[in-house]
Amino acid sequence: MRPFNYSNAGEPATAIATVSANPGAKFLGGGTNLVDLMKEDVMHPSALVDITRLKLADVAKTATGVTIGGTATNSFTANHELIRKNYPLLSMAILAGASAQIRNMATNGGNLNQRTRCTYFYDVNLPCNKREPGSGCGALKGVNRNHAIFGWSEKCVAVYPSDMAIALAALDAVVHVEGNNNVKRTINFADFHRLPGDTPEKDNNLKPGELILSIELPANDFAERSYYLKIRERSSYAFALVSVAAAMALEGNRIKQVRIALGGVAHKPWRASVAEKWLIGKEATETNFRAAAEVELKNARPLEHNKFKVAMAQKAIARALQGAMQGGEYGLEG
Amino acid sequence: MSETGKPISRIDGRLKVTGKATYAAEFNQPTMAYAFPVRATIAKGRITALDDAAVKKEPGVISVVSYKNAPKLKPLDMQAQAKAGAAFLGENLPPLQDNKVYYPGQFIAVVVAESYEQARAAAYKLKVRYAAEKAATDLKTELPNSRKPAKLMGEEAQVNGGKTTAPLAQSAHRVENTYSTPAEHHHPMEPHATVAVWEGADKLTLYDATQGVGLTGAIAAYFLGLQPENVRVIAPFVGGGFGSKGLWLHTLLVAMAAKAAGRPVKLALTRQMMQTNVGHRAATIQRVSLGTDTAGTLTAVRHHTDTYNNLTEFFEPSGKQSLVLYKAPVREVTYGLVKLDRSTPTFMRAPGETPGTFALESAMDEMAYKLKMDPVAFRIANHTAQDPMNGHDFSSEFLVDCYRIGAEKFGWSARSMEPRQKRNGKYLVGYGMATATYPGGRSAATVKVSMTASGDVTVMTASIDIGTGTYTVLAQTAADALGVPVNRIQVKIGDSSLPPAPLAGGSQTTASIHPAALEACVLLRKELTALAIADSSSKLYGRASDEINYTNGNLFIIGDEKKTDAYADIMSRAKRGEMEACATTQPVSGAGLTVPSALCTPREAPAEQNSDDKHYAFHSFGAQFAEVWVDEDLGTIRVKRFTSVQDVGRIMNEKTARSQVIGGVIFGIGAALMEATDYDKRWGSPVVRTLADYHVPVNLDVPPINVHFIGKPDPHISPIGARGIGEIGITGVAAAIANAVFNATGKRLRDLPLTPDKLM
Ligand SMILES: Cc1cc2nc3c(=O)[nH]c(=O)nc-3n(C[C@H](O)[C@H](O)[C@H](O)COP(=O)(O)OP(=O)(O)OC[C@H]3O[C@@H](n4cnc5c(N)ncnc54)[C@H](O)[C@@H]3O)c2cc1C
Ligand code: SF4
């Protein structure tokens, strides 16, 4: 960690102005990711603007759904009555991530901005285009069992680690942000994170200085049938090898609407749109779930060490859809 | 009246849970500075330029120590080191003596500053250029360059090479498979840390997170060129070691840095450094071949291990258990060794047996299936009561009882031999078992015991409590041997100025120091008795010593219990404010170090109290039983319950003993299901770098663990009858789990850890 300046913002506008004015400045949420990266010398901001005292920590009903604050903690959000009742998928996904202690510190804005866990990214002595553009991708021909099977480029094969965001992708959330001079805009969740392409140093489409004010969850018919399935190397407190956020609305036994998003497989939450399309109007049966999963995974491009993710993701999609059929259950994996 | 064996809670527990137990990094000193080491970024080669100009300009920087200006250390000299008890350096590389690099992460410099943060920030500014050479980074790739090492920890490394070829070829049934285990890291909760305080130029105190204060002191003294008695090592509490806390280079580095800075200096390793600078368990590739006759009697056992080392002669001895378990007319245990330019492998909890029992006990299960025999029955049928290598009887051995009791307590009879027969919802359920074994080591030790007239007893020895319960059980032994309550006993350990004891390694602490503690207490009591007998105002005056017994701080006449004399009275009449006794005990073979103690002149215990390792083989045994639930779709394996039955001699404290076995089983679950450090072949560095990537079991991974002890004292190891218990708990666990996975799924997994991808 290198010396840095610390300040505490009272108003969003001052926080945004401070960060916009200094390319070396960063917002500080719970610090559970940024501070780790600073300790590893992966990131070395010259200034941190603490935003945890901004009044952006609410979860509230809106005319069209529910909004969750950018600085609300993951724990508060996951356990909020409005979320548990209307968006159990989001609760399940958040609670599948990290540990209780980390979730108590982690903010929603910070969660969306957390960086990849690719260990080449973390080791400053190894090449990594995301950390140091142009230095090469260490993982492409290295140990890449935790890496992407969809949407990667030769420049970067990293996966995006958040669980929460996988649910948000399935729920078609909308991110509200504010930049310098009160410029506000909304970003559809599908457009928030990026594929690596030629610029893996950019994780998402936030502009410098833009602050996440809130995340909006449109109303939906999925509360009864949704499920977050996370496969990992131990029972908790590990990032996903593969995860699936699944949600369904039925008409009789036919699938009226379905959302499937995958985690642990790409540089952004991966909407399984091929499978979704395949399922619409079909009967909600295990055979159909498996068939849909199969067509989605046809497009997978695994790397040397992660071929297992293809079969795993395929089975996980089917299992998550079955979980959704049963209405899901908190904390139940598999 | 016996305190020994009781499940009493740790006498140091309160200090620990209230944060009052002081660990190495917490011994802050006035005017203390902080050190942060710099690590090499290549695997092999030399430093061609090292520019510290920018570092020195950083705020708070006091000094930068590198090969350019480091104090000269004594060079390596195995004979001289062995003589000085300083042979056991974690890696044979006195730090900062030249510009060579032997592995990625090697310490190449250390920055000292006023604060930790300043030292760390300044360290980034060190400019280093290297001339890199081609490095050997991968075991499999290097196998063609493997050699046959002659010696392994002083013993023959190649046993009966080639002798099983014919018997195996002729056997009625044969199983031959390759099992592999990954590199693993110890990661004790407490990171390694040292505070170095010089007093003048030739006296040094080290507060060090170590498994052996005597060892650390001897090695530091040797390399720094100091008189051994002028180096004091203090470690009252150590937050786990598992083999990683011998002497590694940071301890010498901080002593050098403190000398350069002219102030006390603290150095605490980061987790990332614990991945590269304090040893690890090397990966192994093991080929196990078993042959039997038609009746299922073993005719030959062969166990070949390929592994690597770097800067020591040590390598993972994973053939060990194959020299001890089962009756077979011929056995062959061999090794192939390559040198990798990787951080140096070292001892890690049950070195050898942990990966070795995975291979052997998986193969035994495979053979049982081949023979269509119950795996327990197959093991009982091939059980041996003698050490197969020298024909000595085991000193005390109840392995068959372990199998039977374990099978009974676990409910083994509910297992179906045929795989894939038991389901629970979406899970396949399987049962598996394996044998556990670990040598019953014992070394020389000296213990001093003192008692004040007011009845306060102090037990002193330079042993260590790495979390195992050493404080508590020593107090129990002294309480019984002196007839005073546990709460009047103070235990002083973790200080090299105390009478010498072996390092806390090889599961030998209890077996080594308790005989000496017992003997010291006996000597003390004898002296008290002699005083009483000689004192005309004592009720015991003139009686024979064998008429006298003791209880509750009193001596009394056997059969006439009103004739008593209290210790306090005896001492006050004799005008003795304090009495003390000191004893050394050691195995017949003299294993271990007896060095003179500055604190006392120990008396040698009578020969019959020494372990008779000339006539008996000392080994502990056990049986491990696991139930697993496998979600085949997702590849996840969960251990649902575990039964461990252990034959480890006398149980000194039921609670701390149980905790050791539970801890061992959890360690084994980690090894079975998740622990592994992967390395990048191109740069040789680990790509698993912190506890976020190095997975160890979380609470939810740990099932109910049912521990049962045979509890029969070993009559030959010592009058105490206890063998060690710290390591055996992990042995056999991975095999029991993998065997259960086979029973559940019909899939034989031979490559640890059994992560979900392995079942895909
Ligand atoms: C050991 C460990 C295990 C973990 N396991 C999991 C897991 O299994 N699943 C999972 O999903 N996550 C996991 N996490 C990650 C955790 O969820 C994130 O670290 C956390 O959500 C980040 O939130 P924060 O508020 O602490 O962010 P910070 O660290 O404070 O910030 C992260 C980034 O977000 C930016 N930022 C913060 N708030 C805003 C805002 N409002 N607008 C714009 N930018 C902002 C910061 O500038 C910074 O760049 C784990 C973390 C650790 C340390
Ligand atoms: S995968 Fe991406 S983050 Fe990982 S090394 Fe390559 S460029 Fe860096």
Side-chain angles (χ1 to χ4, degrees):
Chain A
M1 193 179 274
R2 305 188 186 224
F4 59 89
N5 216 307
Y6 172 87
S7 65
N8 217 313
E11 296 297 327
T14 47
I16 294 164
T18 314
V19 173
S20 299
N22 175 3
K26 283 263 163 206
F27 299 121
L28 178 69
T32 60
N33 189 223
L34 182 54
V35 175
D36 271 5
L37 288 163
M38 290 165 67
K39 286 200 257 182
E40 295 259 22
D41 204 32
V42 174
M43 293 176 76
H44 11 76
S46 60
L48 293 183
V49 180
D50 192 332
I51 55 170
T52 54
R53 292 182 206 174
L54 299 183
K55 301 206 165 32
L56 298 171
D58 267 357
V59 172
K61 238 184 153 71
T62 66
T64 53
V66 169
T67 175
I68 62 178
T71 62
T73 67
N74 280 181
S75 293
F76 177 77
T77 308
N79 294 319
H80 198 283
E81 186 59 30
L82 282 173
I83 303 300
R84 292 179 75 105
K85 198 159 147 259
N86 302 305
Y87 306 94
L89 181 64
L90 182 58
S91 278
M92 278 187 267
I94 294 175
L95 296 176
S99 64
Q101 293 88 336
I102 289 174
R103 294 192 299 267
N104 287 342
M105 289 298 291
T107 62
N108 295 333
N111 193 310
L112 298 198
N113 279 285
Q114 66 173 295
R115 311 211 62 189
T116 182
R117 308 303 296 201
C118 172
T119 57
Y120 294 88
F121 172 69
Y122 268 85
D123 188 339
V124 294
N125 298 315
L126 299 182
C128 169
N129 287 325
K130 187 181 276 299
R131 175 169 30 78
E132 207 181 312
S135 62
C137 171
L140 180 66
K141 297 246 149 45
V143 182
N144 50 32
R145 67 189 291 271
N146 292 325
H147 290 70
I149 57 171
F150 284 116
W152 51 268
S153 71
E154 297 274 317
K155 292 274 165 64
C156 178
V157 295
V159 299
Y160 170 63
S162 165
D163 290 299
M164 176 184 194
I166 308 308
L168 292 175
L171 295 169
D172 273 347
V174 177
V175 185
H176 290 253
V177 307
E178 180 177 333
N180 213 6
N181 306 319
N182 295 323
V183 179
K184 295 194 179 171
R185 64 180 183 122
T186 58
I187 310 171
N188 289 334
F189 209 80
D191 303 325
F192 186 84
H193 294 98
R194 300 162 56 97
L195 289 179
D198 285 337
T199 51
E201 66 275 18
K202 283 188 167 172
D203 296 346
N204 59 47
N205 287 318
L206 274 187
K207 293 182 192 146
E210 273 185 333
L211 178 74
I212 297 178
L213 303 175
S214 64
I215 301 157
E216 189 187 332
L217 303 166
N220 65 44
D221 300 329
F222 300 135
E224 247 177 83
R225 291 199 174 79
S226 56
Y227 194 69
Y228 189 74
L229 172 68
K230 181 174 180 182
I231 307 172
R232 47 192 150 177
E233 291 181 348
R234 59 182 170 191
S235 304
S236 86
Y237 205 16
F239 289 94
L241 289 169
V242 165
S243 70
V244 183
M248 258 184 302
L250 301 186
E251 206 160 50
N253 196 30
R254 289 201 182 271
I255 299 170
K256 191 170 85 179
Q257 276 192 79
V258 60
R259 303 272 179 78
I260 305 166
L262 304 181
V265 299
H267 196 264
K268 62 185 286 188
W270 190 260
R271 271 292 281 272
S273 38
V274 182
E276 287 181 7
K277 214 149 133 204
W278 194 94
L279 283 169
I280 293 290
K282 299 233 169 53
E283 276 195 39
T285 63
E286 192 182 333
T287 319
N288 280 338
F289 297 159
R290 286 185 188 269
E294 203 182 321
V295 293
E296 182 69 42
L297 268 299
K298 282 229 164 77
N299 304 317
R301 286 189 300 143
L303 302 159
E304 188 186 347
H305 303 123
N306 68 7
K307 299 190 173 64
F308 70 92
K309 280 194 179 181
V310 178
M312 187 179 269
Q314 197 171 314
K315 289 173 172 161
I317 290 175
R319 179 68 72 78
L321 287 165
Q322 278 169 267
M325 285 295 288
Q326 286 152 22
E329 233 182 287
Y330 287 104
L332 224 187
E333 50 81 46
Chain B
M1 122 182 171
S2 176
E3 293 294 337
T4 306
K6 271 194 199 160
I8 67 170
S9 294
R10 282 156 208 267
I11 59 175
D12 50 331
R14 194 179 175 81
L15 288 177
K16 285 187 173 170
V17 298
T18 55
K20 290 192 180 121
T22 315
Y23 291 81
E26 298 171 318
F27 282 93
N28 289 331
Q29 306 293 318
T31 74
M32 187 174 76
Y34 296 79
F36 195 86
V38 180
R39 295 186 293 162
T41 59
I42 61 162
K44 188 182 184 186
R46 55 205 163 80
I47 301 168
T48 54
L50 189 141
D51 176 1
D52 60 10
V55 183
K56 289 195 170 136
K57 287 199 198 108
E58 286 293 300
V61 170
I62 299 165
S63 59
V64 182
V65 188
S66 72
Y67 73 93
K68 288 176 153 182
N69 61 351
K72 286 289 156 247
L73 299 175
K74 268 245 189 83
L76 292 167
D77 175 344
M78 274 309 152
Q79 271 180 349
Q81 283 171 250
K83 235 171 106 192
F88 211 42
L89 192 59
E91 49 193 346
N92 293 326
L93 181 66
L96 311 187
Q97 300 300 292
D98 61 32
N99 64 345
K100 296 208 182 67
V101 175
Y102 299 93
Y103 61 90
Q106 178 187 321
F107 292 139
I108 53 167
V110 59
V111 177
V112 183
E114 296 293 338
S115 75
Y116 175 75
E117 289 75 13
Q118 287 174 326
R120 180 172 58 179
Y124 298 135
K125 305 262 159 116
L126 189 70
K127 289 205 193 86
V128 187
R129 265 187 300 165
Y130 301 92
E133 291 162 31
K134 191 175 174 331
T137 60
D138 182 58
L139 172 59
K140 270 199 192 123
T141 317
E142 295 302 320
L143 277 183
N145 306 323
S146 117
R147 66 182 177 92
K148 284 192 173 146
K151 292 278 174 190
L152 170 52
M153 301 194 294
E155 311 267 324
E156 291 304 317
Q158 314 291 341
V159 176
N160 292 336
K163 295 234 172 90
T164 55
T165 314
L168 281 170
Q170 288 151 17
S171 57
H173 299 283
R174 188 149 50 117
V175 156
E176 190 160 46
N177 284 300
T178 301
Y179 305 86
S180 50
T181 62
E184 294 167 353
H185 278 79
H186 313 71
H187 281 306
M189 189 126 67
E190 178 206 23
H192 297 62
T194 312
V195 175
V197 187
W198 286 89
E199 208 178 296
D202 55 8
K203 256 184 122 173
L204 175 68
T205 301
L206 296 169
Y207 300 90
D208 190 40
T210 176
Q211 287 177 238
V213 282
L215 175 90
T216 292
I219 298 177
Y222 178 86
F223 284 101
L224 296 165
L226 302 173
Q227 292 303 316
E229 62 275 15
N230 283 350
V231 179
R232 184 170 174 199
V233 181
I234 297 176
F237 296 98
V238 178
F242 309 120
S244 73
K245 286 178 178 160
L247 191 138
W248 293 88
L249 305 190
H250 62 275
T251 303
L252 295 175
L253 271 190
V254 65
M256 293 158 81
K259 189 153 211 183
R263 295 161 57 167
V265 173
K266 165 152 68 179
L267 190 160
L269 297 193
T270 62
R271 272 294 155 196
Q272 289 81 349
M273 291 172 191
M274 289 170 75
Q275 285 278 141
T276 53
N277 299 82
V278 289
H280 67 281
R281 192 199 303 281
T284 68
I285 301 169
Q286 304 174 55
R287 187 131 186 99
V288 177
S289 317
L290 303 175
T292 69
D293 61 17
T294 48
T297 305
L298 284 167
T299 53
V301 174
R302 180 165 70 198
H303 194 145
H304 177 77
T305 300
D306 283 308
T307 185
Y308 60 86
N309 69 355
N310 189 5
L311 297 174
T312 61
E313 294 302 307
F314 171 81
F315 54 91
E316 188 66 24
S318 47
K320 259 164 83 189
Q321 71 294 318
S322 301
L323 295 169
V324 177
L325 291 175
Y326 311 121
K327 197 181 276 174
V330 52
R331 61 191 68 220
E332 175 180 346
V333 174
T334 55
Y335 294 89
L337 186 60
V338 305
K339 186 175 174 300
L340 291 189
D341 301 306
R342 180 181 286 183
S343 62
T344 304
T346 195
F347 314 92
M348 179 163 155
R349 204 171 195 172
E353 284 84 356
T354 300
T357 49
F358 168 64
L360 177 68
E361 291 300 291
S362 293
M364 286 295 285
D365 199 64
E366 300 200 45
M367 181 58 97
Y369 269 96
K370 191 158 211 176
L371 296 164
K372 299 196 165 55
M373 264 176 96
D374 180 285
V376 173
F378 176 49
R379 283 170 173 84
I380 291 176
N382 287 285
H383 170 259
T384 176
Q386 284 86 32
D387 182 329
M389 296 314 291
N390 56 21
H392 292 167
D393 282 341
F394 290 122
S395 55
S396 167
E397 180 274 314
F398 297 92
L399 177 55
V400 171
D401 289 359
C402 292
Y403 293 136
R404 295 212 165 106
I405 293 168
E408 161 79 29
K409 291 197 176 282
F410 181 80
W412 182 250
S413 59
R415 163 185 177 273
S416 84
M417 182 87 195
E418 193 59 31
R420 304 186 70 86
Q421 298 306 304
K422 236 187 163 94
R423 275 185 184 274
N424 195 327
K426 61 198 170 206
Y427 300 102
L428 284 163
V429 178
Y431 291 3
M433 59 81 57
T435 306
T437 182
Y438 195 77
R442 181 184 164 192
S443 294
T446 304
V447 174
K448 177 180 162 177
V449 176
S450 71
M451 184 162 71
T452 64
S454 54
D456 289 308
V457 173
T458 308
V459 182
M460 287 158 274
T461 182
S463 185
I464 279 276
D465 192 328
I466 51 174
T468 45
T470 309
Y471 279 105
T472 313
V473 287
L474 259 185
Q476 287 171 280
T477 290
D480 280 347
L482 289 172
V484 296
V486 165
N487 64 11
R488 298 303 294 272
I489 293 170
Q490 198 197 352
V491 177
K492 280 196 188 157
I493 56 177
D495 181 340
S496 64
S497 67
L498 296 168
L503 84 159
S507 299
Q508 58 168 336
T509 291
T510 300
S512 304
I513 65 176
H514 284 255
L518 175 65
E519 182 61 15
C521 292
V522 168
L523 290 174
L524 191 69
R525 235 173 47 222
K526 274 192 183 150
E527 200 187 341
L528 274 167
T529 310
L531 284 176
I533 290 171
D535 181 353
S536 56
S537 46
S538 170
K539 286 186 191 142
L540 313 182
Y541 176 64
R543 304 296 290 253
S545 61
D546 60 7
E547 290 177 277
I548 297 170
N549 206 342
Y550 67 101
T551 185
N552 255 331
N554 289 290
L555 297 177
F556 65 90
I557 299 293
I558 299 167
D560 188 358
E561 277 156 40
K562 285 200 201 89
K563 289 229 165 71
T564 69
D565 199 352
Y567 298 167
D569 297 338
I570 300 169
M571 286 176 73
S572 79
R573 289 196 311 267
K575 305 215 164 23
R576 301 280 292 266
E578 186 168 329
M579 288 174 67
E580 60 180 51
C582 192
T584 294
T585 54
Q586 61 191 330
V588 170
S589 65
L593 198 63
T594 36
V595 288
S597 164
L599 264 192
C600 62
T601 315
R603 255 201 277 164
E604 296 265 340
E608 67 272 16
Q609 300 199 10
N610 295 329
S611 61
D612 186 359
D613 53 359
K614 293 241 159 76
H615 299 99
Y616 292 98
F618 295 96
H619 278 276
S620 287
F621 296 96
Q624 314 276 33
F625 291 82
E627 175 179 332
V628 302
W629 289 20
V630 181
D631 186 327
E632 245 192 340
D633 260 1
L634 310 184
T636 47
I637 299 166
R638 300 285 180 250
V639 181
K640 279 292 170 179
R641 64 197 177 89
F642 203 97
T643 299
S644 183
V645 183
Q646 298 293 344
D647 166 24
V648 292
R650 183 173 184 192
I651 299 303
M652 304 299 287
N653 175 324
E654 229 272 332
K655 191 171 190 172
T656 53
R658 180 175 301 274
S659 293
Q660 283 300 300
V661 176
I662 289 174
V665 171
I666 296 171
F667 226 104
I669 292 173
L673 299 183
M674 60 194 83
E675 289 185 43
T677 297
D678 292 331
Y679 293 81
D680 187 285
K681 287 185 194 174
R682 296 158 297 174
W683 297 288
S685 37
V687 296
V688 170
R689 304 175 53 257
T690 69
L691 288 178
D693 327 305
Y694 190 83
H695 292 148
V696 297
V698 295
N699 280 330
L700 203 51
D701 294 310
V702 179
I705 298 169
N706 176 8
V707 178
H708 181 85
F709 293 112
I710 299 292
K712 295 237 173 60
D714 183 328
H716 300 296
I717 192 159
S718 73
I720 295 278
R723 294 190 300 266
I725 198 169
E727 292 169 273
I728 190 167
I730 184 177
T731 69
V733 175
I737 291 169
N739 294 341
V741 170
F742 178 78
N743 184 242
T745 64
K747 281 187 194 142
R748 185 61 70 177
L749 302 181
R750 302 189 183 94
D751 177 30
L752 292 184
L754 311 183
T755 44
D757 49 305
K758 305 274 170 66
L759 275 168
M760 279 292 129

